[in-house]
Amino acid sequence: MSTGVIIALIVIVAAVLVVAAVLALRARGPQHGGSLKRRFGPEYDRAVARHDGDTKAAERELADRVERHGSLHERPLEPAERERFEARWTATQERFVDSPREAVGEADRLLAELAGARGFPDGGQYEEQLAALSVHHAHHVDGYRRVHRVTHARVDGAQDSGAGTEEMRESLVEARALFEDLVRPGHHDGSRHDGGRHEGGGHDGGRHRAGSDGDGSAPARAARTHHSWSLSKRQPKES
């Protein structure tokens, strides 16, 4: 076989390999995007909106989050830790009726502290902590984003330029979903906003009975149920 034929064959093989590589990359693109969309759910749509509809830019951002935080392993809470966090959340809901803005601020701090206790970046690095949470709790992280935004809304004189009482209430209700994900991982339920889901409601059965998690007090469960419904139904005072 002549040298010219060998060179021609090499060129043809190289060209075929290049075309195959390009086709493979094109084939992987939509799958990668589809995988990100499945993983991030509503966070995917928010990222696309933030990038003015540029899905490629949004997917690069989300892929970067996965690369930075995808290998993070959440540290389980000790029973005593869990009880303290749950007690603080109950107190926060109670406080909302008389001091909604202070209650939302406490919820913001509580979520940051709880996420840190679970092994996420420290709450002092809010953006990085939020990014890490979005990788592992994508469907509920927006509640944290909302209470943080409400907490840090600027005040112009006596007039609040941020959220009203109803928005504060909604942000706190939504943030509860992330709180529950973090404080009791694996206890997912479609009725997450039904007020008493984790307090002996019909969907949980006896998940919080005595001996199951160290918080078996029936009065305590009843109190949490009452205040959960209070948060949803009672009208708080304007702050």
Side-chain angles (χ1 to χ4, degrees), residues 70-92:
S71 61
L72 183 149
H73 294 288
E74 298 181 57
R75 184 183 74 80
L77 296 176
E78 297 293 332
E81 285 183 293
R82 183 183 302 118
E83 290 176 9
R84 285 195 297 270
F85 279 118
E86 289 183 325
R88 288 175 60 188
W89 186 265
T90 300
T92 297

Side-chain angles (χ1 to χ4, degrees), residues 214-238:
D215 187 18
S217 166
R221 292 199 305 275
R224 285 198 299 274
T225 301
H226 171 73
H227 291 298
S228 296
W229 282 107
S230 294
L231 178 62
S232 298
K233 297 183 176 181
R234 292 173 60 185
Q235 291 297 321
K237 298 177 182 178
E238 292 285 352

Side-chain angles (χ1 to χ4, degrees), residues 88-107 109 172 227 230-231 234 236-237 239:
R88 288 175 60 188
W89 186 265
T90 300
T92 297
Q93 292 187 156
E94 293 172 350
R95 189 179 187 187
F96 183 85
V97 176
D98 294 317
S99 304
R101 189 167 304 284
E102 289 77 4
V104 172
E106 174 59 22
R109 292 186 292 273
L172 188 54
H227 291 298
S230 294
L231 178 62
R234 292 173 60 185
K237 298 177 182 178
S239 60

Side-chain angles (χ1 to χ4, degrees), residues 21-45:
V22 170
L23 292 175
L25 287 173
R26 287 181 179 176
R28 286 176 58 191
Q31 293 176 4
H32 181 57
S35 175
L36 287 171
K37 190 168 187 176
R38 286 190 298 273
R39 176 166 192 162
F40 282 94
E43 278 295 295
Y44 181 94
D45 296 330

Side-chain angles (χ1 to χ4, degrees), residues 151-166:
T151 298
H152 295 276
R154 295 184 178 277
V155 175
D156 181 13
Q159 297 298 318
D160 177 31
S161 61
T165 302
E166 178 60 18

Side-chain angles (χ1 to χ4, degrees), residues 37-190:
K37 190 168 187 176
R38 286 190 298 273
R39 176 166 192 162
F40 282 94
E43 278 295 295
Y44 181 94
D45 296 330
R46 292 186 191 98
V48 171
R50 189 165 54 253
H51 287 279
D52 299 320
D54 186 341
T55 57
K56 296 300 181 184
E59 287 168 7
R60 284 195 296 271
E61 177 192 328
L62 296 176
D64 179 63
R65 293 192 208 175
V66 173
E67 183 176 350
R68 296 200 318 269
H69 304 295
S71 61
L72 183 149
H73 294 288
E74 298 181 57
R75 184 183 74 80
L77 296 176
E78 297 293 332
E81 285 183 293
R82 183 183 302 118
E83 290 176 9
R84 285 195 297 270
F85 279 118
E86 289 183 325
R88 288 175 60 188
W89 186 265
T90 300
T92 297
Q93 292 187 156
E94 293 172 350
R95 189 179 187 187
F96 183 85
V97 176
D98 294 317
S99 304
R101 189 167 304 284
E102 289 77 4
V104 172
E106 174 59 22
D108 179 49
R109 292 186 292 273
L110 182 54
L111 284 171
E113 185 178 333
L114 174 57
R118 292 298 313 279
F120 288 92
D122 182 79
Q125 309 171 60
Y126 167 73
E127 293 294 343
E128 198 67 9
Q129 187 182 69
L130 189 74
L133 285 166
S134 75
V135 173
H136 297 272
H137 298 276
H139 289 270
H140 299 126
V141 71
D142 197 50
Y144 181 24
R145 183 184 285 115
R146 289 187 67 182
V147 297
H148 188 80
R149 183 170 61 243
V150 169
T151 298
H152 295 276
R154 295 184 178 277
V155 175
D156 181 13
Q159 297 298 318
D160 177 31
S161 61
T165 302
E166 178 60 18
E167 184 178 350
M168 288 188 284
R169 186 193 69 80
E170 290 176 354
S171 72
L172 188 54
V173 170
E174 186 175 350
R176 184 183 173 192
L178 179 63
F179 175 82
E180 291 178 349
D181 266 5
L182 291 172
V183 82
R184 294 187 176 278
H187 289 187
H188 299 288
D189 190 295

